[in-house]
Amino acid sequence: LAKTTQPISMDSYEGQEVNITCSHNNIATNDYITWYQQFPSQGPRFIIQGYKTKVTNEVASLFIPADRKSSTLSLPRVSLSDTAVYYCLVGDFYNQGGKLIFGQGTELSVKP
Amino acid sequence: EPEVTQTPSHQVTQMGQEVILRCVPISNHLYFYWYRQILGQKVEFLVSFYNNEISEKSEIFDDQFSVERPDGSNFTLKIRSTKLEDSAMYFCASSEGSTNEKLFFGSGTQLSVL
């Protein structure tokens, strides 16, 4: 399983764009990149998943360079309610059968 | 959006007692999971369940743990003889399939073993 490295914490202000970068140097060919969000005392919530280039949904964008050794989760115009822990997960989820390996995540704090 | 529901939200038990944590996965999902998170630590995989049998389990999921889908809607985690170190938030999750698809997590059951 590919090891991921992401900042332990980040601070931002309301209305700003936040970019959280995750390194995964030993990503394998069959691996996908998935980001989850977790609020205190809640279960993780799927945000976005990608394999290469750029993926965008109503919540976030995910940028993956050609070498796929890193990825960046971009949250446009954050609000106080985006304060949460964000997890970058990398794996061949097809063969892992739903076994997600969570790291420590990035604790994002959005201030007014 | 459909959601996974878990009961109870909090469970307090004495060491050595049996506990059953209950979950109702999303109705058309086929794969079910239990994860746990000890306070201040990572979310950890416990077990995955498909077609009425365990697909995969972690080292944490020893003989004290068992899972069951007793009917068409519920999915349970039983801990036979709880230990202090079993105190954690337990999350149930479900997914439509296992191929790179997203997992839907419940809000968790906070288990406190005294």
Side-chain angles (χ1 to χ4, degrees):
Chain A
L1 294 170
K3 179 175 161 49
T4 60
T5 303
Q6 52 183 124
I8 294 173
S9 64
M10 292 181 69
D11 291 333
S12 182
Y13 291 93
E14 280 191 294
Q16 288 188 332
E17 177 184 81
V18 170
N19 296 308
I20 307 174
T21 297
C22 178
S23 297
H24 28 81
N25 289 319
N26 60 339
I27 189 169
T29 304
N30 293 334
D31 287 349
Y32 279 69
I33 300 156
T34 307
W35 287 79
Y36 279 78
Q37 172 193 55
Q38 187 181 26
F39 298 113
S41 300
Q42 295 285 320
R45 185 175 77 104
F46 174 92
I47 301 175
I48 199 165
Q49 184 181 80
Y51 184 80
K52 62 180 178 182
T53 64
K54 178 184 172 183
V55 180
T56 297
N57 62 21
E58 64 278 5
V59 176
S61 294
L62 178 60
F63 298 91
I64 306 168
D67 66 7
R68 305 201 323 123
K69 292 185 185 299
S70 66
S71 58
T72 298
L73 175 73
S74 180
L75 305 172
R77 296 181 299 282
V78 295
S79 64
L80 296 177
S81 62
D82 292 315
T83 294
V85 179
Y86 292 82
Y87 299 97
C88 165
L89 291 85
V90 173
D92 180 2
F93 303 114
Y94 177 82
N95 287 314
Q96 287 171 214
K99 179 181 176 181
L100 304 180
I101 307 298
F102 287 85
Q104 292 289 0
T106 296
E107 189 168 358
L108 174 66
S109 177
V110 180
K111 302 173 184 178
Chain B
E1 186 175 71
E3 58 180 31
V4 174
T5 56
Q6 291 186 241
T7 55
S9 57
H10 293 85
Q11 174 89 50
V12 180
T13 189
Q14 295 290 326
M15 192 169 55
Q17 295 295 304
E18 174 184 286
V19 294
I20 298 176
L21 309 183
R22 302 179 193 280
C23 168
V24 179
I26 294 171
S27 60
N28 63 333
H29 285 185
L30 301 176
Y31 292 79
F32 314 111
Y33 316 89
W34 285 99
Y35 284 75
R36 79 172 187 188
Q37 187 173 30
I38 295 170
L39 185 63
Q41 298 189 23
K42 302 175 188 179
V43 177
E44 300 174 290
F45 169 80
L46 293 179
V47 66
S48 59
F49 190 86
Y50 169 71
N51 199 26
N52 281 320
E53 58 183 34
I54 291 174
S55 304
E56 190 164 353
K57 60 183 180 180
S58 72
E59 292 176 354
I60 302 168
F61 194 88
D62 61 22
D63 292 344
Q64 293 300 312
F65 291 87
S66 62
V67 289
E68 192 179 31
R69 189 154 162 83
D71 53 43
S73 60
N74 292 287
F75 180 51
T76 62
L77 174 70
K78 182 194 290 187
I79 309 175
R80 260 179 275 282
S81 177
T82 51
K83 303 188 280 277
L84 295 176
E85 54 265 36
D86 293 327
S87 294
M89 180 76 95
Y90 287 80
F91 295 110
C92 174
S94 68
S95 67
E96 285 184 77
S98 66
T99 58
N100 292 315
E101 292 186 73
K102 62 182 181 181
L103 270 61
F104 290 78
F105 284 80
S107 294
T109 294
Q110 179 65 56
L111 176 65
S112 298
V113 182
L114 306 178

